[in-house]
Amino acid sequence: MRAVVAVVLFVTAAHAALWGLLQEKQQAPDFRGMLPSVSYAPFEGTAHPDVDNIPSVEKIRADLRKLAPLTRAIRLYSSTGGVELVPPIAAEFGLKVTVGAWIDKNVDRNEREIDAAINLARRNSNVIGVVVGNETIYRGEQKVDDLIELIKRVKKSVSVPVTTGEIWNIWRDNPRLGYSVDFIAAHVLPYWENFTDKQAVDQAVAMFQLLRDQFPGKRIVIAEFGWPSAGYNLRNAVPGPFEQASVLRNFVTRAEAIGMDYNIVEAIDQPWKFFEGGVGPYWGILDASREPKFAWTGPIVNENYWKLAAIALLVGILMSLPILRLEQPTIMQAMVLSAAANGVGAWASTVFAYWAGHYFVLGSAFALTLGLILLVPLVLIAMARIDEIAAVAFGPGPRRLVAKSTEPMPPATIGDAVAFPKVSIHIPAYFEPVEMLKQTLDAVSRLDYPNFECVVIINNTPDPEFWQPIQDHCRTLGERFKFINAEKVKGFKAGALRIAMDRTAADAEIIGIIDADYVVQPDWLKDLVPVFADPRVGLVQAPQEHRDGDRSLMHYIMNGEYAGFFDIGMVQRNECNAIIVHGTMCLIRRAAMDMAGGWAGDTICEDTDLGLAIIEHGWLTHYTNHRYGHGLLPDTYEAFKKQRHRWAYGGFQIVKKHWRRFLPGASRLTPDQRREFSLGWLNWLGAESLGVLVAILNLIWVPIVAFADIAIPDKILTLPIIASFIVSLVHFVALYRLRVHVKAGQMLGAMIAAMSVQWTVSRAVAQGLITEHLPFARTSKGGLSVMSIEFQAFWEAVIGVLLLVGATVLVVTNGYKQVREIYIFAGVLVLQSLPFLAAVAIALLENSRTNSFAFWRNSAVRTAELIGLRPVTMPAVGSPSQPVASEIRREAN
């Protein structure tokens, strides 16, 4: 424990040191004077001034009190809507005012603005100029000649200089406009012209010189210069608090040195300007709370940096506390987990910084909140996967796993002097292929165990071709085999198993369950029944395995996908006595089954339901990853998906049925068991459903991002999705390499197969939310089913293609802006399309020639003949699965 605490403290210290090393400090010239002028809009909040944002006298006075120590003058952009209150209040603080008249296409409003501006200039001695229109020509709302007439009209009515505010190139391209004004009021905003923050000052000075050369003798004022402190990049122009501070401090120093007249845009952040793109609200030198955003002297630093570091460290420590509950974790295991916890802490700090440093309208606040809510389970899932990586790669090896021993195990003793307790093996069947079921019964008859019976129950199968041969075969095999043909059974498989229990021998102490397609090994009972010698053991589970993995390439990768669950997840869950019971190759103590209430018919995963109930009553369960039986894979991809749908729907039913028993004191579940089941459900049902939900929500966002100048914040929303994908990828590859004995090609196929059922699982969860019970769907095995003529990944294809189209739209529409966040968002859409496209790939594979191993065999033979090698002999269908494709490639190479 002391070593683990030391590791956590070491990682926390390293995290703190990293914050210290990464603290950003920038140097810029000090500025101790007063700014000649700043743009001021007396509005606050997110409401547009034209809607409902009328400033009060008290608010204006408070603002100007803040600005008076910083500037000698302010520039206004309007003279109505409450702005007319500003000049007389500015006089109280000794501030000069450049009045603005807002000009657009609204003639009546233009008249009101001009009249108000004239009156303000006449009545207030601190008004030093009038600006008629702001970028009116640039916006195309007035023609040059018409604007000149308005300027002339105002000039006749006031005694102060009159001009209009326009981007520098408008002045350059319209000399007549320049000669009609008393001075040139040029806007130079390098951000909007794709200049970097390092180039911004040089560009402004160059444009100032250009206009001086073009209009000799004319007074030139840079009437707008600034840099945003937040928002998205525009090509090479990157906003940010450090960039804003550096640009403005360098600019004012340079401007003062060359005698430039200038006005800084703007005094205070304007959250209502969200329609000006991501940077619109963030041009102020004061934030919306009227606090300075940076210092004008000394190094440029983030004043809140160590507060954010403290949040990151605190969250990292809190997320590391569960490590202390682990049983004998290794140093490397604790280090990986603590590093991941501190990574989550750093992300939490980034979220806090973003939330505190940005302004939100209702829609953006809702979208961000929803995104963060969805990311919480995503982060928990990623942490659970990192936990499993650390446990498998660096933790102690499995300690509870029932290993296959070469030495004969002593017989179990259950009850008084019972050396070989009686086992009753139950085999439920429903329209199963006759020959397949005969193979299963023959294998049971060969069991190397002296005391067992076999109850075969065929339910709801009226066709005698399916049950009569089995009845005859049971008679041939002897009195150990009991045959039941039950019609109109309610409760599907669970109902059949309840009938089997009624026909079970009274002295049977252990119930064995196998599916109708499973060929068991002779030593199954001999090896595993002795585990029940411990009276606390209620259940022993062996893995599923399949003997037809070489039927096709699709079956080959499906077999690899199944193996991952039984060699990774089940082994790790077994360490906490929290295995998932999966119905076949399962041995259950009869007393434990009775205590748990037997087979329940209210879920379609009756096996998992019963297993959880047994665990909830405090029984021990054990797992072995040795293969004691081989079944058959689903016949088709359609059957594979239906099986996964049944498992997911049944799993969700179990969640709804059992969640109350996870409350404190409601059952005998341990904290570790609660954790394993909760994270297991979240990791499977939650991850798949969340993946689909987020993908669909992102599709909805595509037109908004593409056409409304809104970007998804990458550090808090999109990059965590990418990081989660990387964790999932590493989790799959690393654990397969460490625990699952398959070749790289089969592992890649297994990954595709696992991804391909995301839509299927999410659909099952959605149905579980709105329905109480779906009928049990038998998984087609044994060759009875043929491929459907319908394409088995239609909706996956639709969603996958839409995601790719959405990514393309984002990239194309982002061509000029080149906003980094939009490119990252497009990348996320591509990643989210992969599970859907994986389903499309398998559906296409099933219908293609390449699905047949004969295709690869013939290709290998032809290649071998060309290079003089011997042809490859393919194993027969039905033999134990071998890495065939890998063997073919190796021979061909």
Side-chain angles (χ1 to χ4, degrees):
M1 178 62 71
R2 273 182 273 181
V4 173
V5 171
V7 168
V8 172
L9 293 176
F10 170 79
V11 173
T12 303
H15 187 196
L18 196 60
W19 276 87
L21 291 173
L22 295 179
Q23 183 181 19
E24 188 175 2
K25 291 184 179 181
Q26 290 187 13
Q27 299 298 324
D30 291 342
F31 178 70
R32 291 184 169 84
M34 293 184 70
L35 298 171
S37 178
V38 295
S39 297
Y40 172 65
F43 310 111
E44 61 179 344
T46 58
H48 195 282
D50 290 344
V51 179
D52 184 20
N53 199 349
I54 307 301
S56 66
V57 171
E58 293 77 11
K59 192 62 182 176
I60 294 172
R61 185 171 283 114
D63 285 349
L64 297 183
R65 185 178 289 110
K66 281 275 189 179
L67 293 176
L70 303 176
T71 183
R72 292 188 290 270
I74 57 175
R75 176 189 169 186
L76 306 177
Y77 290 83
S78 174
S79 293
T80 63
V83 183
E84 69 275 7
L85 301 173
V86 174
I89 299 174
E92 299 175 14
F93 298 96
L95 290 169
K96 303 297 184 181
V97 179
T98 299
V99 170
W102 186 263
I103 303 297
D104 53 26
K105 294 180 179 180
N106 188 324
V107 176
D108 293 337
R109 173 173 173 159
N110 293 347
E111 287 299 315
R112 292 195 301 272
E113 284 283 337
I114 289 174
D115 291 342
I118 291 172
N119 288 331
L120 288 174
R122 287 175 175 176
R123 297 175 181 174
N124 296 277
S125 61
N126 62 329
V127 173
I128 58 175
V130 178
V131 180
V132 183
N134 184 70
E135 298 184 359
T136 310
I137 304 300
Y138 171 73
R139 295 197 310 272
E141 294 183 336
Q142 291 285 325
K143 295 180 180 179
V144 173
D145 290 340
D146 295 335
L147 182 59
I148 289 174
E149 290 302 314
L150 293 176
I151 292 170
K152 289 179 178 179
R153 173 181 161 188
V154 175
K155 288 175 68 173
K156 292 176 182 178
S157 304
V158 299
S159 58
V160 295
V162 180
T163 187
T164 187
E166 284 292 349
I167 300 172
W168 65 268
N169 59 295
I170 299 295
W171 295 105
R172 180 197 64 188
D173 299 339
N174 297 276
R176 286 186 302 111
L177 182 63
Y179 295 127
S180 70
V181 298
D182 294 323
F183 64 95
I184 304 293
H187 298 174
V188 182
L189 297 169
Y191 170 85
W192 292 115
E193 297 187 55
N194 188 33
F195 288 94
T196 69
D197 56 294
K198 302 297 188 295
Q199 301 168 327
V201 175
D202 290 338
Q203 193 254 352
V205 172
M207 296 308 99
F208 175 73
Q209 187 61 48
L210 180 149
L211 294 175
R212 281 211 307 187
D213 294 342
Q214 185 170 352
F215 299 98
K218 202 84 169 178
R219 179 185 170 210
I220 309 297
V221 178
I222 301 301
E224 279 191 1
F225 179 87
W227 195 267
S229 62
Y232 53 72
N233 72 291
L234 183 64
R235 304 182 74 180
N236 296 321
V238 179
F242 283 88
E243 289 79 2
Q244 182 188 52
S246 177
V247 167
L248 291 181
R249 284 172 59 169
N250 278 288
F251 172 77
V252 297
T253 302
R254 187 91 165 266
E256 296 288 334
I258 64 176
M260 179 194 297
D261 284 343
Y262 63 90
N263 171 75
I264 296 298
V265 62
E266 56 195 325
I268 302 169
D269 279 350
Q270 300 294 301
W272 58 274
K273 290 186 177 180
F274 59 87
F275 55 85
E276 292 183 0
V279 297
Y282 303 104
W283 292 83
I285 59 175
L286 304 181
D287 62 25
S289 300
R290 278 55 180 172
E291 296 299 325
K293 292 160 75 172
F294 60 88
W296 289 93
T297 60
I300 301 172
V301 296
N302 180 359
E303 298 292 340
N304 295 317
Y305 186 79
W306 287 109
K307 294 180 182 177
L308 298 175
I311 292 172
L313 293 171
L314 180 60
V315 173
I317 291 172
L318 292 176
M319 295 289 288
S320 297
L321 292 180
I323 302 173
L324 303 179
R325 293 187 63 255
L326 296 177
E327 186 178 352
Q328 298 180 355
T330 66
I331 299 298
M332 279 300 299
Q333 183 182 3
M335 188 168 294
V336 169
L337 293 176
S338 186
N342 279 272
V344 174
W347 173 71
S349 175
T350 304
V351 171
F352 182 84
Y354 186 90
W355 195 275
H358 288 75
Y359 313 114
F360 305 98
V361 296
L362 180 61
S364 61
F366 172 78
L368 181 61
T369 302
L370 178 61
L372 292 174
I373 289 173
L374 292 175
L375 277 178
V376 169
L378 193 70
V379 169
L380 292 176
I381 291 166
M383 289 294 292
R385 289 174 177 171
I386 292 172
D387 180 25
E388 196 166 30
I389 293 171
V392 173
F394 305 112
R399 289 172 289 227
R400 295 189 73 248
L401 191 65
V402 179
K404 171 68 174 176
S405 176
T406 56
E407 298 294 329
M409 296 184 69
T413 54
I414 303 179
D416 297 331
V418 180
F420 292 96
K422 189 166 188 174
V423 179
S424 181
I425 300 170
H426 297 176
I427 306 177
Y430 168 74
F431 278 105
E432 302 292 355
V434 170
E435 293 305 316
M436 179 189 77
L437 186 49
K438 283 183 177 180
Q439 281 186 294
T440 299
L441 297 176
D442 289 342
V444 171
S445 70
R446 294 191 293 268
L447 282 171
D448 184 12
Y449 191 80
N451 192 15
F452 75 91
E453 69 172 6
C454 180
V455 180
V456 183
I457 176 165
I458 295 183
N459 68 95
N460 300 323
T461 308
D463 189 343
E465 291 187 5
F466 283 91
W467 62 263
Q468 186 66 58
I470 301 303
Q471 183 181 43
D472 295 339
H473 198 65
C474 286
R475 288 171 180 164
T476 302
L477 291 175
E479 61 182 13
R480 286 180 183 229
F481 289 80
K482 299 178 181 179
F483 175 82
I484 304 171
N485 181 23
E487 298 181 2
K488 298 180 181 180
V489 175
K490 295 181 179 180
F492 303 99
K493 186 177 179 180
L497 289 171
R498 284 198 297 269
I499 294 174
M501 285 298 300
D502 293 339
R503 295 285 297 274
T504 297
D507 59 342
E509 298 280 351
I510 297 171
I511 309 300
I513 311 296
I514 59 175
D515 284 346
D517 58 310
Y518 264 77
V519 174
V520 296
Q521 300 297 315
D523 52 358
W524 174 41
L525 299 183
K526 180 182 67 174
D527 283 359
L528 297 186
V529 169
V531 179
F532 287 94
D534 183 347
R536 301 171 299 168
V537 173
L539 186 148
V540 178
Q541 178 73 64
Q544 295 182 23
E545 187 54 84
H546 308 95
R547 60 185 187 274
D548 59 343
D550 293 324
R551 197 196 314 181
S552 70
L553 185 56
M554 181 188 72
H555 289 87
Y556 181 65
I557 65 177
M558 282 164 48
N559 201 28
E561 194 269 343
Y562 285 110
F565 173 76
F566 295 108
D567 286 334
I568 302 170
M570 285 289 282
V571 173
Q572 292 307 117
R573 294 176 68 100
N574 182 57
E575 294 302 297
C576 297
N577 187 30
I579 62 173
I580 296 175
V581 178
H582 47 85
T584 191
M585 303 305 302
C586 180
L587 297 172
I588 307 173
R589 189 187 295 270
R590 191 172 190 169
M593 179 183 288
D594 292 341
M595 183 181 291
W599 299 104
D602 53 353
T603 68
I604 60 174
C605 284
E606 70 295 321
D607 42 14
T608 305
D609 187 7
L610 176 61
L612 179 55
I614 289 173
I615 294 173
E616 287 169 346
H617 281 83
W619 292 93
L620 294 181
T621 62
H622 283 284
Y623 177 72
T624 176
N625 64 348
H626 180 76
R627 272 57 172 170
Y628 283 100
H630 295 78
L632 296 177
L633 291 160
D635 285 334
T636 63
Y637 184 49
E638 179 184 17
F640 176 69
K641 291 177 67 178
K642 284 184 176 179
Q643 182 188 62
R644 200 57 54 96
H645 182 278
R646 185 180 80 243
W647 291 350
Y649 183 85
F652 194 77
Q653 285 182 309
I654 291 169
V655 172
K656 292 195 295 184
K657 177 179 178 179
H658 287 261
W659 70 267
R660 292 179 182 84
R661 301 178 193 174
F662 280 68
L663 299 176
S667 70
R668 296 178 66 182
L669 289 173
T670 67
D672 286 340
Q673 288 172 330
R674 289 186 173 93
R675 171 184 174 276
E676 284 297 326
F677 278 103
S678 299
L679 287 178
W681 288 326
L682 180 65
N683 193 23
W684 180 38
L685 303 176
E688 306 292 15
S689 304
L690 192 65
V692 171
L693 178 60
V694 173
I696 292 174
L697 289 175
N698 283 345
L699 274 176
I700 296 172
W701 269 101
V702 166
I704 300 173
V705 173
F707 304 113
D709 285 335
I710 294 176
I712 306 296
D714 54 356
K715 292 181 181 179
I716 65 171
L717 290 182
T718 51
L719 289 177
I721 294 176
I722 295 174
S724 177
F725 176 83
I726 293 172
V727 167
S728 298
L729 185 64
V730 172
H731 174 265
F732 193 97
V733 174
L735 298 193
Y736 257 73
R737 298 297 290 174
L738 290 169
R739 285 281 176 85
V740 187
H741 301 299
V742 298
K743 298 292 180 67
Q746 191 176 13
M747 180 185 70
L748 176 61
M751 185 187 303
I752 294 172
M755 288 194 299
S756 75
V757 291
Q758 182 185 67
W759 171 253
T760 301
V761 172
S762 65
R763 192 164 54 87
V765 171
Q767 289 176 319
L769 286 169
I770 59 178
T771 63
E772 287 299 323
H773 204 83
L774 288 178
F776 184 93
R778 172 189 173 272
T779 302
S780 299
K781 299 179 181 179
L784 282 184
S785 298
V786 295
M787 286 186 295
S788 172
I789 60 174
E790 296 180 0
F791 185 62
Q792 291 303 310
F794 174 78
W795 286 110
E796 291 94 328
V798 170
I799 299 174
V801 169
L802 284 176
L803 287 166
L804 292 180
V805 170
T808 303
V809 169
L810 291 173
V811 171
V812 171
T813 57
N814 195 35
Y816 169 73
K817 298 176 289 186
Q818 296 183 13
V819 177
R820 180 193 62 204
E821 285 92 338
I822 294 179
Y823 284 132
I824 294 175
F825 185 46
V828 167
L829 294 184
V830 173
L831 290 180
Q832 290 178 321
S833 73
L834 295 181
F836 302 99
L837 299 180
V840 174
I842 295 181
L844 292 174
L845 173 66
E846 185 178 27
N847 289 278
S848 70
R849 287 194 307 153
T850 56
N851 189 37
S852 170
F853 277 126
F855 173 85
W856 299 103
R857 180 178 62 241
N858 294 335
S859 299
V861 169
R862 288 193 296 270
T863 303
E865 290 174 347
L866 286 173
I867 62 177
L869 294 177
R870 61 181 176 84
V872 179
T873 301
M874 297 295 293
V877 173
S879 63
S881 175
Q882 298 292 329
V884 178
S886 300
E887 295 295 334
I888 291 173
R889 286 194 294 274
R890 190 171 69 227
E891 292 289 343
N893 288 333

